[in-house]
Amino acid sequence: EAVGRLRDVAAWPDLPPDRYVLLRPIGRGGMGAVYAAHDDLLDREVAIKISNAIRAGSGLDERLRREARVLAQLEHPGIVPVHDTGVTPDGRPFYVMTLVRGAGVAETASRLSLPGRVELFLKICDAVAFAHAHGVVHRDLKPQNVMVGPFGEVLVLDWGVASLSTEAQPAVEPPAVVGTPGFMPPEQASGVA
């Protein structure tokens, strides 16, 4: 138990001391960890995603910066807005976004009638269609990446492996398969998309 607590403390990132105070972990993925934090300047709770990179300047750092830029370009009620970006004292990038309160889409859908589920699905489709119209494909759309807020708002999260139609794709390297097996289309699983 003591070793587990020490491991948690060692993993707790430092933030610049003049604005954000970390409150609690929310989740962790391959690219970064998300924490609830207090924004002292605006006196509100926010979510902060911080790179998991062990050393500054890694590919994970660039992916996190890229995710923040993608989200900043997608201003839509169904996509979580980015409020700020920065770098931790140890050199890891982070970005600040709205703290999403609510429940996962699967939990919410289980309590709804069929028409309610269809309405929920259409809200997800609206956010995804908006992203597609702006040249962005999520590539990891799954129930764990969709939240439903307390007012019924649907938010598509975790755009870390999104592809942009404006980015040049390397011609030499074989395409990387990204996403979650069981949720990706066949062309994505084969590395074509």
Side-chain angles (χ1 to χ4, degrees):
E1 188 177 310
V3 171
R5 275 190 301 227
L6 286 173
R7 190 177 299 124
D8 290 343
V9 168
W12 197 262
D14 281 333
L15 286 174
D18 56 343
R19 181 152 185 192
Y20 302 107
V21 177
L22 294 182
L23 301 174
R24 63 190 173 281
I26 295 174
R28 178 176 294 278
M31 183 171 67
V34 180
Y35 296 86
H38 187 265
D39 179 342
D40 286 342
L41 182 64
L42 297 175
D43 193 23
R44 65 177 177 178
E45 279 195 27
V46 294
I48 298 182
K49 187 168 186 177
I50 302 174
S51 172
N52 277 341
I54 300 198
R55 62 182 172 10
S58 76
L60 287 178
D61 287 353
E62 183 50 40
R63 282 180 53 197
L64 191 116
R65 285 186 187 98
R66 182 179 167 277
E67 180 181 15
R69 287 190 304 270
V70 166
L71 284 170
Q73 295 171 21
L74 297 176
E75 294 186 31
H76 184 277
I79 299 171
V80 178
V82 171
H83 301 301
D84 193 14
T85 63
V87 178
T88 63
D90 65 357
R92 294 182 294 156
F94 66 87
Y95 69 85
V96 181
M97 60 192 146
T98 299
L99 177 63
V100 178
R101 292 175 172 88
V105 71
E107 178 185 337
T108 302
S110 71
R111 297 188 305 255
L112 296 175
S113 64
L114 181 58
R117 290 178 188 167
V118 170
E119 183 180 337
L120 202 61
F121 179 69
L122 291 174
K123 288 180 181 180
I124 297 167
C125 291
D126 186 52
V128 171
F130 178 84
H132 289 178
H134 288 80
V136 178
V137 177
H138 189 285
R139 295 199 307 175
D140 198 22
L141 195 58
K142 59 187 177 183
Q144 295 88 338
N145 288 341
V146 180
M147 294 282 294
V148 180
F151 303 105
E153 69 275 24
V154 175
L155 294 155
V156 178
L157 312 171
D158 199 354
W159 294 78
V161 297
S163 69
L164 287 80
S165 62
T166 57
E167 286 182 336
Q169 300 300 320
V172 182
E173 295 179 27
V177 176
V178 295
T180 304
F183 291 99
M184 63 178 77
E187 63 273 14
Q188 186 175 334
S190 67
V192 175

mmCIF file of all heavy atoms in Angstrom, residues 129-178:
data_model
loop_
_atom_site.group_PDB
_atom_site.id
_atom_site.type_symbol
_atom_site.label_atom_id
_atom_site.label_comp_id
_atom_site.label_asym_id
_atom_site.label_seq_id
_atom_site.Cartn_x
_atom_site.Cartn_y
_atom_site.Cartn_z
ATOM 1 N N ALA A 129 -19.614 14.541 -37.892
ATOM 2 C CA ALA A 129 -19.792 15.117 -39.234
ATOM 3 C C ALA A 129 -19.143 16.499 -39.314
ATOM 4 O O ALA A 129 -18.534 16.850 -40.328
ATOM 5 C CB ALA A 129 -21.274 15.206 -39.587
ATOM 6 N N PHE A 130 -19.249 17.288 -38.243
ATOM 7 C CA PHE A 130 -18.598 18.597 -38.207
ATOM 8 C C PHE A 130 -17.085 18.440 -38.356
ATOM 9 O O PHE A 130 -16.447 19.150 -39.133
ATOM 10 C CB PHE A 130 -18.936 19.318 -36.901
ATOM 11 C CG PHE A 130 -18.269 20.651 -36.763
ATOM 12 C CD1 PHE A 130 -18.834 21.781 -37.339
ATOM 13 C CD2 PHE A 130 -17.084 20.784 -36.064
ATOM 14 C CE1 PHE A 130 -18.220 23.027 -37.225
ATOM 15 C CE2 PHE A 130 -16.452 22.016 -35.943
ATOM 16 C CZ PHE A 130 -17.031 23.139 -36.527
ATOM 17 N N ALA A 131 -16.525 17.491 -37.598
ATOM 18 C CA ALA A 131 -15.082 17.251 -37.693
ATOM 19 C C ALA A 131 -14.708 16.821 -39.107
ATOM 20 O O ALA A 131 -13.733 17.312 -39.682
ATOM 21 C CB ALA A 131 -14.658 16.188 -36.677
ATOM 22 N N HIS A 132 -15.479 15.905 -39.691
ATOM 23 C CA HIS A 132 -15.193 15.442 -41.057
ATOM 24 C C HIS A 132 -15.249 16.599 -42.042
ATOM 25 O O HIS A 132 -14.418 16.686 -42.953
ATOM 26 C CB HIS A 132 -16.176 14.352 -41.469
ATOM 27 C CG HIS A 132 -15.959 13.063 -40.754
ATOM 28 N ND1 HIS A 132 -16.757 11.957 -40.951
ATOM 29 C CD2 HIS A 132 -15.049 12.687 -39.812
ATOM 30 C CE1 HIS A 132 -16.344 10.963 -40.182
ATOM 31 N NE2 HIS A 132 -15.312 11.389 -39.484
ATOM 32 N N ALA A 133 -16.215 17.496 -41.880
ATOM 33 C CA ALA A 133 -16.338 18.649 -42.775
ATOM 34 C C ALA A 133 -15.120 19.568 -42.665
ATOM 35 O O ALA A 133 -14.839 20.336 -43.588
ATOM 36 C CB ALA A 133 -17.611 19.428 -42.457
ATOM 37 N N HIS A 134 -14.399 19.462 -41.549
ATOM 38 C CA HIS A 134 -13.185 20.257 -41.362
ATOM 39 C C HIS A 134 -11.922 19.421 -41.559
ATOM 40 O O HIS A 134 -10.838 19.816 -41.116
ATOM 41 C CB HIS A 134 -13.203 20.909 -39.977
ATOM 42 C CG HIS A 134 -14.190 22.023 -39.897
ATOM 43 N ND1 HIS A 134 -15.539 21.803 -39.701
ATOM 44 C CD2 HIS A 134 -14.042 23.357 -40.040
ATOM 45 C CE1 HIS A 134 -16.163 22.961 -39.720
ATOM 46 N NE2 HIS A 134 -15.281 23.922 -39.921
ATOM 47 N N GLY A 135 -12.070 18.266 -42.206
ATOM 48 C CA GLY A 135 -10.917 17.449 -42.558
ATOM 49 C C GLY A 135 -10.314 16.649 -41.431
ATOM 50 O O GLY A 135 -9.162 16.228 -41.510
ATOM 51 N N VAL A 136 -11.078 16.402 -40.359
ATOM 52 C CA VAL A 136 -10.560 15.668 -39.205
ATOM 53 C C VAL A 136 -11.363 14.382 -39.023
ATOM 54 O O VAL A 136 -12.589 14.414 -38.996
ATOM 55 C CB VAL A 136 -10.649 16.522 -37.918
ATOM 56 C CG1 VAL A 136 -10.150 15.737 -36.706
ATOM 57 C CG2 VAL A 136 -9.871 17.823 -38.078
ATOM 58 N N VAL A 137 -10.655 13.258 -38.897
ATOM 59 C CA VAL A 137 -11.275 11.963 -38.615
ATOM 60 C C VAL A 137 -10.782 11.509 -37.240
ATOM 61 O O VAL A 137 -9.574 11.441 -37.001
ATOM 62 C CB VAL A 137 -10.913 10.917 -39.695
ATOM 63 C CG1 VAL A 137 -11.512 9.557 -39.360
ATOM 64 C CG2 VAL A 137 -11.379 11.388 -41.066
ATOM 65 N N HIS A 138 -11.695 11.214 -36.343
ATOM 66 C CA HIS A 138 -11.373 10.885 -34.949
ATOM 67 C C HIS A 138 -10.469 9.654 -34.844
ATOM 68 O O HIS A 138 -9.482 9.660 -34.124
ATOM 69 C CB HIS A 138 -12.677 10.662 -34.167
ATOM 70 C CG HIS A 138 -12.494 10.529 -32.702
ATOM 71 N ND1 HIS A 138 -11.993 9.397 -32.109
ATOM 72 C CD2 HIS A 138 -12.739 11.403 -31.688
ATOM 73 C CE1 HIS A 138 -11.950 9.562 -30.798
ATOM 74 N NE2 HIS A 138 -12.399 10.779 -30.528
ATOM 75 N N ARG A 139 -10.795 8.568 -35.456
ATOM 76 C CA ARG A 139 -10.077 7.290 -35.522
ATOM 77 C C ARG A 139 -10.067 6.474 -34.229
ATOM 78 O O ARG A 139 -9.436 5.430 -34.173
ATOM 79 C CB ARG A 139 -8.642 7.457 -36.026
ATOM 80 C CG ARG A 139 -8.562 7.942 -37.438
ATOM 81 C CD ARG A 139 -7.248 7.700 -38.106
ATOM 82 N NE ARG A 139 -6.129 8.196 -37.364
ATOM 83 C CZ ARG A 139 -4.867 8.003 -37.731
ATOM 84 N NH1 ARG A 139 -4.591 7.324 -38.832
ATOM 85 N NH2 ARG A 139 -3.884 8.482 -37.009
ATOM 86 N N ASP A 140 -10.745 6.917 -33.179
ATOM 87 C CA ASP A 140 -10.871 6.090 -31.980
ATOM 88 C C ASP A 140 -12.217 6.348 -31.315
ATOM 89 O O ASP A 140 -12.312 6.494 -30.099
ATOM 90 C CB ASP A 140 -9.722 6.361 -31.004
ATOM 91 C CG ASP A 140 -9.569 5.240 -29.969
ATOM 92 O OD1 ASP A 140 -10.040 4.103 -30.233
ATOM 93 O OD2 ASP A 140 -8.979 5.489 -28.909
ATOM 94 N N LEU A 141 -13.253 6.396 -32.148
ATOM 95 C CA LEU A 141 -14.597 6.654 -31.644
ATOM 96 C C LEU A 141 -15.143 5.373 -31.018
ATOM 97 O O LEU A 141 -15.251 4.343 -31.675
ATOM 98 C CB LEU A 141 -15.496 7.122 -32.793
ATOM 99 C CG LEU A 141 -16.813 7.756 -32.400
ATOM 100 C CD1 LEU A 141 -16.612 8.969 -31.504
ATOM 101 C CD2 LEU A 141 -17.585 8.149 -33.645
ATOM 102 N N LYS A 142 -15.438 5.456 -29.734
ATOM 103 C CA LYS A 142 -15.942 4.312 -28.971
ATOM 104 C C LYS A 142 -16.711 4.866 -27.782
ATOM 105 O O LYS A 142 -16.594 6.061 -27.460
ATOM 106 C CB LYS A 142 -14.789 3.415 -28.514
ATOM 107 C CG LYS A 142 -13.760 4.130 -27.649
ATOM 108 C CD LYS A 142 -12.559 3.247 -27.363
ATOM 109 C CE LYS A 142 -11.514 4.013 -26.554
ATOM 110 N NZ LYS A 142 -10.323 3.205 -26.323
ATOM 111 N N PRO A 143 -17.518 4.050 -27.134
ATOM 112 C CA PRO A 143 -18.337 4.561 -26.024
ATOM 113 C C PRO A 143 -17.526 5.261 -24.933
ATOM 114 O O PRO A 143 -17.982 6.260 -24.371
ATOM 115 C CB PRO A 143 -19.021 3.299 -25.483
ATOM 116 C CG PRO A 143 -19.089 2.383 -26.649
ATOM 117 C CD PRO A 143 -17.831 2.646 -27.441
ATOM 118 N N GLN A 144 -16.328 4.792 -24.638
ATOM 119 C CA GLN A 144 -15.523 5.408 -23.577
ATOM 120 C C GLN A 144 -15.079 6.825 -23.944
ATOM 121 O O GLN A 144 -14.654 7.580 -23.080
ATOM 122 C CB GLN A 144 -14.274 4.564 -23.290
ATOM 123 C CG GLN A 144 -14.587 3.207 -22.725
ATOM 124 C CD GLN A 144 -14.818 2.148 -23.796
ATOM 125 O OE1 GLN A 144 -15.138 2.433 -24.944
ATOM 126 N NE2 GLN A 144 -14.684 0.898 -23.403
ATOM 127 N N ASN A 145 -15.162 7.198 -25.228
ATOM 128 C CA ASN A 145 -14.744 8.533 -25.666
ATOM 129 C C ASN A 145 -15.921 9.457 -25.940
ATOM 130 O O ASN A 145 -15.768 10.461 -26.635
ATOM 131 C CB ASN A 145 -13.845 8.423 -26.905
ATOM 132 C CG ASN A 145 -12.472 7.878 -26.563
ATOM 133 O OD1 ASN A 145 -12.059 7.910 -25.420
ATOM 134 N ND2 ASN A 145 -11.784 7.372 -27.548
ATOM 135 N N VAL A 146 -17.081 9.117 -25.401
ATOM 136 C CA VAL A 146 -18.257 9.979 -25.543
ATOM 137 C C VAL A 146 -18.907 10.120 -24.167
ATOM 138 O O VAL A 146 -19.193 9.126 -23.502
ATOM 139 C CB VAL A 146 -19.275 9.401 -26.552
ATOM 140 C CG1 VAL A 146 -20.478 10.316 -26.672
ATOM 141 C CG2 VAL A 146 -18.634 9.176 -27.920
ATOM 142 N N MET A 147 -19.115 11.368 -23.764
ATOM 143 C CA MET A 147 -19.755 11.648 -22.475
ATOM 144 C C MET A 147 -21.057 12.413 -22.709
ATOM 145 O O MET A 147 -21.180 13.147 -23.692
ATOM 146 C CB MET A 147 -18.846 12.518 -21.605
ATOM 147 C CG MET A 147 -17.558 11.863 -21.161
ATOM 148 S SD MET A 147 -17.775 10.711 -19.806
ATOM 149 C CE MET A 147 -18.281 11.794 -18.495
ATOM 150 N N VAL A 148 -21.987 12.240 -21.801
ATOM 151 C CA VAL A 148 -23.241 12.982 -21.838
ATOM 152 C C VAL A 148 -23.289 13.828 -20.566
ATOM 153 O O VAL A 148 -23.212 13.307 -19.459
ATOM 154 C CB VAL A 148 -24.458 12.042 -21.919
ATOM 155 C CG1 VAL A 148 -25.747 12.847 -21.951
ATOM 156 C CG2 VAL A 148 -24.346 11.129 -23.136
ATOM 157 N N GLY A 149 -23.393 15.136 -20.763
ATOM 158 C CA GLY A 149 -23.396 16.069 -19.638
ATOM 159 C C GLY A 149 -24.741 16.139 -18.955
ATOM 160 O O GLY A 149 -25.736 15.552 -19.406
ATOM 161 N N PRO A 150 -24.817 16.899 -17.868
ATOM 162 C CA PRO A 150 -26.032 16.968 -17.069
ATOM 163 C C PRO A 150 -27.221 17.623 -17.777
ATOM 164 O O PRO A 150 -28.350 17.475 -17.348
ATOM 165 C CB PRO A 150 -25.616 17.776 -15.838
ATOM 166 C CG PRO A 150 -24.393 18.508 -16.247
ATOM 167 C CD PRO A 150 -23.725 17.679 -17.299
ATOM 168 N N PHE A 151 -26.984 18.346 -18.874
ATOM 169 C CA PHE A 151 -28.070 18.983 -19.616
ATOM 170 C C PHE A 151 -28.377 18.239 -20.907
ATOM 171 O O PHE A 151 -29.043 18.764 -21.785
ATOM 172 C CB PHE A 151 -27.724 20.444 -19.912
ATOM 173 C CG PHE A 151 -27.420 21.231 -18.670
ATOM 174 C CD1 PHE A 151 -26.121 21.565 -18.356
ATOM 175 C CD2 PHE A 151 -28.439 21.592 -17.803
ATOM 176 C CE1 PHE A 151 -25.830 22.273 -17.199
ATOM 177 C CE2 PHE A 151 -28.158 22.295 -16.639
ATOM 178 C CZ PHE A 151 -26.853 22.634 -16.336
ATOM 179 N N GLY A 152 -27.846 17.004 -21.022
ATOM 180 C CA GLY A 152 -28.075 16.211 -22.220
ATOM 181 C C GLY A 152 -27.099 16.498 -23.342
ATOM 182 O O GLY A 152 -27.210 15.924 -24.427
ATOM 183 N N GLU A 153 -26.127 17.380 -23.090
ATOM 184 C CA GLU A 153 -25.130 17.653 -24.129
ATOM 185 C C GLU A 153 -24.228 16.434 -24.313
ATOM 186 O O GLU A 153 -23.894 15.744 -23.361
ATOM 187 C CB GLU A 153 -24.319 18.913 -23.795
ATOM 188 C CG GLU A 153 -23.379 18.809 -22.612
ATOM 189 C CD GLU A 153 -24.008 19.078 -21.250
ATOM 190 O OE1 GLU A 153 -25.230 18.914 -21.084
ATOM 191 O OE2 GLU A 153 -23.255 19.410 -20.335
ATOM 192 N N VAL A 154 -23.893 16.153 -25.548
ATOM 193 C CA VAL A 154 -23.057 15.012 -25.891
ATOM 194 C C VAL A 154 -21.703 15.545 -26.323
ATOM 195 O O VAL A 154 -21.617 16.440 -27.169
ATOM 196 C CB VAL A 154 -23.700 14.184 -27.022
ATOM 197 C CG1 VAL A 154 -22.773 13.075 -27.468
ATOM 198 C CG2 VAL A 154 -25.032 13.602 -26.552
ATOM 199 N N LEU A 155 -20.633 15.020 -25.732
ATOM 200 C CA LEU A 155 -19.285 15.492 -26.027
ATOM 201 C C LEU A 155 -18.397 14.335 -26.462
ATOM 202 O O LEU A 155 -18.277 13.334 -25.751
ATOM 203 C CB LEU A 155 -18.693 16.178 -24.804
ATOM 204 C CG LEU A 155 -19.410 17.469 -24.423
ATOM 205 C CD1 LEU A 155 -19.237 17.790 -22.965
ATOM 206 C CD2 LEU A 155 -18.915 18.597 -25.295
ATOM 207 N N VAL A 156 -17.791 14.487 -27.635
ATOM 208 C CA VAL A 156 -16.845 13.501 -28.144
ATOM 209 C C VAL A 156 -15.462 13.908 -27.626
ATOM 210 O O VAL A 156 -15.019 15.042 -27.826
ATOM 211 C CB VAL A 156 -16.872 13.445 -29.683
ATOM 212 C CG1 VAL A 156 -15.847 12.440 -30.194
ATOM 213 C CG2 VAL A 156 -18.271 13.079 -30.177
ATOM 214 N N LEU A 157 -14.784 12.973 -26.952
ATOM 215 C CA LEU A 157 -13.503 13.233 -26.298
ATOM 216 C C LEU A 157 -12.365 12.490 -26.984
ATOM 217 O O LEU A 157 -12.583 11.645 -27.842
ATOM 218 C CB LEU A 157 -13.570 12.753 -24.832
ATOM 219 C CG LEU A 157 -14.772 13.158 -24.005
ATOM 220 C CD1 LEU A 157 -14.770 12.408 -22.688
ATOM 221 C CD2 LEU A 157 -14.783 14.649 -23.772
ATOM 222 N N ASP A 158 -11.157 12.762 -26.548
ATOM 223 C CA ASP A 158 -9.934 12.026 -26.884
ATOM 224 C C ASP A 158 -9.663 11.983 -28.386
ATOM 225 O O ASP A 158 -9.836 10.969 -29.045
ATOM 226 C CB ASP A 158 -9.976 10.609 -26.299
ATOM 227 C CG ASP A 158 -8.580 10.003 -26.212
ATOM 228 O OD1 ASP A 158 -7.620 10.631 -26.706
ATOM 229 O OD2 ASP A 158 -8.456 8.902 -25.661
ATOM 230 N N TRP A 159 -9.178 13.091 -28.897
ATOM 231 C CA TRP A 159 -8.861 13.235 -30.322
ATOM 232 C C TRP A 159 -7.379 13.008 -30.584
ATOM 233 O O TRP A 159 -6.830 13.459 -31.596
ATOM 234 C CB TRP A 159 -9.295 14.627 -30.796
ATOM 235 C CG TRP A 159 -10.778 14.803 -30.747
ATOM 236 C CD1 TRP A 159 -11.559 15.050 -29.649
ATOM 237 C CD2 TRP A 159 -11.682 14.730 -31.847
ATOM 238 N NE1 TRP A 159 -12.882 15.129 -30.000
ATOM 239 C CE2 TRP A 159 -12.991 14.942 -31.349
ATOM 240 C CE3 TRP A 159 -11.520 14.509 -33.220
ATOM 241 C CZ2 TRP A 159 -14.110 14.940 -32.148
ATOM 242 C CZ3 TRP A 159 -12.639 14.509 -34.024
ATOM 243 C CH2 TRP A 159 -13.930 14.713 -33.492
ATOM 244 N N GLY A 160 -6.695 12.286 -29.710
ATOM 245 C CA GLY A 160 -5.242 12.114 -29.795
ATOM 246 C C GLY A 160 -4.723 11.374 -31.006
ATOM 247 O O GLY A 160 -3.577 11.563 -31.396
ATOM 248 N N VAL A 161 -5.522 10.527 -31.620
ATOM 249 C CA VAL A 161 -5.057 9.805 -32.818
ATOM 250 C C VAL A 161 -5.814 10.249 -34.066
ATOM 251 O O VAL A 161 -5.798 9.562 -35.088
ATOM 252 C CB VAL A 161 -5.134 8.266 -32.636
ATOM 253 C CG1 VAL A 161 -4.215 7.813 -31.519
ATOM 254 C CG2 VAL A 161 -6.555 7.801 -32.389
ATOM 255 N N ALA A 162 -6.460 11.400 -33.985
ATOM 256 C CA ALA A 162 -7.213 11.911 -35.139
ATOM 257 C C ALA A 162 -6.279 12.122 -36.323
ATOM 258 O O ALA A 162 -5.099 12.429 -36.163
ATOM 259 C CB ALA A 162 -7.890 13.230 -34.778
ATOM 260 N N SER A 163 -6.826 11.942 -37.521
ATOM 261 C CA SER A 163 -6.059 12.242 -38.731
ATOM 262 C C SER A 163 -6.632 13.494 -39.374
ATOM 263 O O SER A 163 -7.835 13.764 -39.272
ATOM 264 C CB SER A 163 -6.087 11.070 -39.704
ATOM 265 O OG SER A 163 -7.381 10.905 -40.243
ATOM 266 N N LEU A 164 -5.754 14.251 -40.008
ATOM 267 C CA LEU A 164 -6.147 15.479 -40.683
ATOM 268 C C LEU A 164 -5.886 15.326 -42.169
ATOM 269 O O LEU A 164 -4.802 14.902 -42.568
ATOM 270 C CB LEU A 164 -5.354 16.676 -40.151
ATOM 271 C CG LEU A 164 -5.726 17.157 -38.761
ATOM 272 C CD1 LEU A 164 -5.108 16.298 -37.700
ATOM 273 C CD2 LEU A 164 -5.292 18.579 -38.605
ATOM 274 N N SER A 165 -6.870 15.675 -42.976
ATOM 275 C CA SER A 165 -6.705 15.533 -44.426
ATOM 276 C C SER A 165 -5.655 16.488 -44.957
ATOM 277 O O SER A 165 -5.113 16.271 -46.038
ATOM 278 C CB SER A 165 -8.037 15.776 -45.140
ATOM 279 O OG SER A 165 -8.483 17.090 -44.901
ATOM 280 N N THR A 166 -5.304 17.528 -44.198
ATOM 281 C CA THR A 166 -4.315 18.497 -44.660
ATOM 282 C C THR A 166 -2.886 18.066 -44.361
ATOM 283 O O THR A 166 -1.947 18.686 -44.845
ATOM 284 C CB THR A 166 -4.556 19.863 -43.990
ATOM 285 O OG1 THR A 166 -4.517 19.677 -42.568
ATOM 286 C CG2 THR A 166 -5.897 20.442 -44.403
ATOM 287 N N GLU A 167 -2.702 16.998 -43.575
ATOM 288 C CA GLU A 167 -1.352 16.540 -43.238
ATOM 289 C C GLU A 167 -0.818 15.616 -44.318
ATOM 290 O O GLU A 167 -1.525 14.729 -44.800
ATOM 291 C CB GLU A 167 -1.348 15.781 -41.907
ATOM 292 C CG GLU A 167 -1.496 16.658 -40.711
ATOM 293 C CD GLU A 167 -1.428 15.863 -39.413
ATOM 294 O OE1 GLU A 167 -1.703 14.659 -39.398
ATOM 295 O OE2 GLU A 167 -1.118 16.481 -38.402
ATOM 296 N N ALA A 168 0.425 15.819 -44.657
ATOM 297 C CA ALA A 168 1.075 14.924 -45.614
ATOM 298 C C ALA A 168 1.353 13.597 -44.917
ATOM 299 O O ALA A 168 1.836 13.567 -43.788
ATOM 300 C CB ALA A 168 2.376 15.536 -46.099
ATOM 301 N N GLN A 169 1.021 12.507 -45.600
ATOM 302 C CA GLN A 169 1.272 11.186 -45.041
ATOM 303 C C GLN A 169 2.619 10.678 -45.538
ATOM 304 O O GLN A 169 2.942 10.818 -46.716
ATOM 305 C CB GLN A 169 0.162 10.201 -45.465
ATOM 306 C CG GLN A 169 -1.225 10.619 -45.013
ATOM 307 C CD GLN A 169 -1.349 10.742 -43.515
ATOM 308 O OE1 GLN A 169 -0.818 9.939 -42.769
ATOM 309 N NE2 GLN A 169 -2.040 11.780 -43.061
ATOM 310 N N PRO A 170 3.470 10.092 -44.667
ATOM 311 C CA PRO A 170 4.763 9.606 -45.117
ATOM 312 C C PRO A 170 4.598 8.503 -46.157
ATOM 313 O O PRO A 170 3.813 7.581 -45.983
ATOM 314 C CB PRO A 170 5.428 9.076 -43.840
ATOM 315 C CG PRO A 170 4.352 8.980 -42.823
ATOM 316 C CD PRO A 170 3.211 9.854 -43.265
ATOM 317 N N ALA A 171 5.337 8.612 -47.246
ATOM 318 C CA ALA A 171 5.229 7.639 -48.330
ATOM 319 C C ALA A 171 6.086 6.416 -48.087
ATOM 320 O O ALA A 171 5.835 5.353 -48.621
ATOM 321 C CB ALA A 171 5.630 8.297 -49.653
ATOM 322 N N VAL A 172 7.141 6.540 -47.267
ATOM 323 C CA VAL A 172 8.086 5.451 -47.066
ATOM 324 C C VAL A 172 7.633 4.485 -45.984
ATOM 325 O O VAL A 172 7.694 3.276 -46.140
ATOM 326 C CB VAL A 172 9.480 6.022 -46.711
ATOM 327 C CG1 VAL A 172 10.492 4.916 -46.541
ATOM 328 C CG2 VAL A 172 9.921 7.011 -47.777
ATOM 329 N N GLU A 173 7.148 5.035 -44.865
ATOM 330 C CA GLU A 173 6.763 4.200 -43.731
ATOM 331 C C GLU A 173 5.414 3.532 -43.980
ATOM 332 O O GLU A 173 4.519 4.137 -44.553
ATOM 333 C CB GLU A 173 6.639 5.050 -42.466
ATOM 334 C CG GLU A 173 7.925 5.664 -42.011
ATOM 335 C CD GLU A 173 7.724 6.506 -40.764
ATOM 336 O OE1 GLU A 173 6.781 6.223 -39.983
ATOM 337 O OE2 GLU A 173 8.498 7.447 -40.573
ATOM 338 N N PRO A 174 5.272 2.272 -43.521
ATOM 339 C CA PRO A 174 3.935 1.664 -43.601
ATOM 340 C C PRO A 174 2.996 2.388 -42.658
ATOM 341 O O PRO A 174 3.423 2.858 -41.602
ATOM 342 C CB PRO A 174 4.168 0.218 -43.152
ATOM 343 C CG PRO A 174 5.425 0.258 -42.368
ATOM 344 C CD PRO A 174 6.261 1.387 -42.915
ATOM 345 N N PRO A 175 1.723 2.538 -43.009
ATOM 346 C CA PRO A 175 0.809 3.257 -42.130
ATOM 347 C C PRO A 175 0.635 2.539 -40.798
ATOM 348 O O PRO A 175 0.591 1.322 -40.744
ATOM 349 C CB PRO A 175 -0.502 3.296 -42.919
ATOM 350 C CG PRO A 175 -0.366 2.280 -43.982
ATOM 351 C CD PRO A 175 1.104 2.021 -44.200
ATOM 352 N N ALA A 176 0.567 3.307 -39.742
ATOM 353 C CA ALA A 176 0.381 2.750 -38.401
ATOM 354 C C ALA A 176 -1.093 2.470 -38.175
ATOM 355 O O ALA A 176 -1.946 3.238 -38.593
ATOM 356 C CB ALA A 176 0.900 3.718 -37.359
ATOM 357 N N VAL A 177 -1.365 1.364 -37.523
ATOM 358 C CA VAL A 177 -2.745 1.045 -37.157
ATOM 359 C C VAL A 177 -2.987 1.671 -35.797
ATOM 360 O O VAL A 177 -2.300 1.377 -34.823
ATOM 361 C CB VAL A 177 -2.974 -0.483 -37.107
ATOM 362 C CG1 VAL A 177 -4.378 -0.790 -36.637
ATOM 363 C CG2 VAL A 177 -2.711 -1.099 -38.471
ATOM 364 N N VAL A 178 -3.957 2.598 -35.733
ATOM 365 C CA VAL A 178 -4.282 3.271 -34.486
ATOM 366 C C VAL A 178 -5.766 3.096 -34.218
ATOM 367 O O VAL A 178 -6.558 2.914 -35.132
ATOM 368 C CB VAL A 178 -3.928 4.770 -34.523
ATOM 369 C CG1 VAL A 178 -2.440 4.969 -34.658
ATOM 370 C CG2 VAL A 178 -4.660 5.479 -35.632
#
